[in-house]
Amino acid sequence: MNALQPHARPTPALAGDGVTDAEELARLVERLREAEAKREAHARDIVIGEFSVTGARVPLLHIAGLQTLTRNESAVLRFLGWGRANGDIATLLNMTENTVRTHMNNAIRKLELDGVRELNSLAGLLFMPLE
């Protein structure tokens, strides 16, 4: 190759050629399995703490994070979804308002949310009665 010629580039595979690299094929199969698992998780009920929520109400982005919530964090989230104030939640769960805020902050961190507004929105989406 002389200095005036551009570097040769590999030609892309044509449609219908299929995947020839075994590692690439394994990666594609794994991605398909992950996508199918997400679809299945979205179709069934999701357990959040001791509560069960219809999978269709749960954003796929938050499924893993919701399943890491503790019992108290999920209880606070449920009462938030029902529209309860922090003081009401503290009374219902027999804890201080400061503890309620701590559980909310832990949930925000675990779910990678931007703040209390997003937490309230997600809680309403998950637990607000549909009737």
Side-chain angles (χ1 to χ4, degrees):
M1 181 183 314
N2 69 36
L4 298 176
Q5 290 180 333
H7 293 288
R9 293 186 180 137
T11 57
L14 299 174
D17 282 351
V19 178
T20 57
D21 184 20
E23 289 179 15
E24 180 66 16
L25 181 60
R27 273 194 297 270
L28 289 172
V29 168
E30 183 59 31
R31 288 182 66 193
L32 285 171
R33 286 184 180 142
E34 289 171 3
E36 186 63 28
K38 284 183 180 180
R39 270 197 299 279
E40 288 174 7
H42 206 252
R44 64 178 186 266
D45 287 350
I46 305 296
V47 177
I48 303 170
E50 57 189 29
F51 309 109
S52 180
V53 177
T54 304
R57 295 183 88 168
V58 181
L60 292 175
L61 173 68
H62 298 299
I63 289 176
L66 286 167
Q67 293 175 335
T68 64
L69 297 179
T70 65
R71 182 174 171 258
N72 284 331
E73 291 164 355
S74 60
V76 167
L77 188 66
R78 186 170 191 185
F79 284 124
L80 281 175
W82 289 348
R84 297 291 187 150
N86 292 359
D88 295 339
I89 297 171
T91 301
L92 291 166
L93 295 177
N94 196 27
M95 58 181 66
T96 66
E97 280 188 61
N98 201 26
T99 304
V100 170
R101 283 190 292 273
T102 298
H103 289 311
M104 290 170 58
N105 287 328
N106 289 341
I108 289 167
R109 181 181 41 79
K110 288 178 181 180
L111 297 169
E112 298 177 2
L113 300 174
D114 285 334
V116 176
R117 285 186 182 185
E118 280 193 10
L119 183 67
N120 282 328
S121 296
L122 180 62
L125 176 68
L126 297 174
F127 293 109
M128 183 63 76
L130 293 175
E131 291 85 40

